[in-house]
Amino acid sequence: MTRAPANLLAVRSLLLTHLNVDPNTVRAADLEPAEVGIVGDPAHRGGYHCGSDRVVTNDYSVVESPRDRAGLTLDAAALDVGGFEVRSGGRTHTLSSFSLWCVGQCAANAADTRDIREIIYSPDGSTVKRWDRLGKRSTGDSSHRWHTHFSFFRDAIKAGRDQRPVFRRYLSSIGLLEDDDMTPEEHNWLATVHKNLTVLDGRNPIGQIYTRMAEGRDDTGAPVIGNWNLQAMTKQLTALQTAIDALSNRDFTDEPAIVQGVLAGLTPEKIAAAIPPTIAKQVADELARRLVA
């Protein structure tokens, strides 16, 4: 039996949380649960709303892309979004403006849209259009005047890949979602960077640098002497952490690329190269005291 996958149920929940303004009352202005569908009704055959038990011969949702052929399971791979009207940021936002925003992001090939195969929508409630990543179709039936259809490549659904980021960005762009739009994976990367900058117990590469300093050794293990300003080094690390925090609060077009750029600049080799070849004995003593503490 065709089933609704967890990653599309998560998108459904996100949209209803923020666009069903009055969840206790059915209103035309709100996006209601009945207006956000994933699995086609029992009579539905063929297309992305169907899993492997309901596809038909030469089904376009399977045969036109190797991503769909490789990803075919019992999971549906589509989401329908019905009409809504919300006020936010001094403007009125509707299904049409939402659809146009999503199509614009797909046409620009934003990183978080690349699992979307097509969007069937109406820009004005009258004309029906289709944006197709594969460039095979340009329109749809009249039912799309009052709902917008999203198809996702089946391999992305099969892999369980999170499809919420682009929809979170939309909600953020109209002022309904104040949280940042970074994925949990991106936040985990930043947390790892922060830990590597602060843990001094020698269990990670950066901590090992501090351990060598505390023991009075350079990268080769040889004893070192000289002058080193602990306050200056601490200020540099603090500034670096502040920059990372600032990045986490900004809205980037391609967040993964930004995160990768930050990480690329924080290799243990580069940090080691920035440390002067000599270290004052009092600094080694101070770091040794901190390690013991």
Side-chain angles (χ1 to χ4, degrees), residues 97-173:
S97 60
F98 162 71
S99 303
L100 287 168
W101 186 92
C102 291
V103 168
Q105 297 300 305
C106 288
N109 198 32
D112 53 9
T113 69
R114 292 170 187 165
D115 288 335
I116 297 176
R117 185 261 160 97
E118 64 185 353
I119 302 177
I120 310 174
Y121 68 104
S122 175
D124 54 15
S126 177
T127 305
V128 175
K129 295 186 176 184
R130 183 189 311 228
W131 176 86
D132 184 353
R133 190 175 296 276
L134 301 181
K136 295 183 178 293
R137 294 170 184 80
S138 60
T139 190
D141 66 59
S142 60
S143 70
H144 297 93
R145 289 181 296 177
W146 54 83
H147 84 270
T148 294
H149 169 94
F150 294 84
S151 295
F152 299 83
F153 285 114
R154 292 183 183 273
D155 63 347
I157 301 304
K158 181 180 181 180
R161 195 147 53 237
D162 188 1
Q163 300 302 322
R164 290 172 296 178
V166 65
F167 299 100
R168 280 201 299 263
R169 284 204 297 115
Y170 168 73
L171 295 169
S172 295
S173 74

Side-chain angles (χ1 to χ4, degrees), residues 5 8 23 66 69 98 103 116 163 172 177 199 222 258 261 267 271 283:
L8 293 189
R69 289 194 294 273
F98 162 71
V103 168
I116 297 176
Q163 300 302 322
S172 295
L177 185 61
V199 174
I258 296 296
T267 61
I271 293 178
V283 175

Side-chain angles (χ1 to χ4, degrees), residues 265-280:
L266 293 175
T267 61
E269 291 80 4
K270 288 187 177 180
I271 293 178
I275 298 175
T278 59
I279 306 172

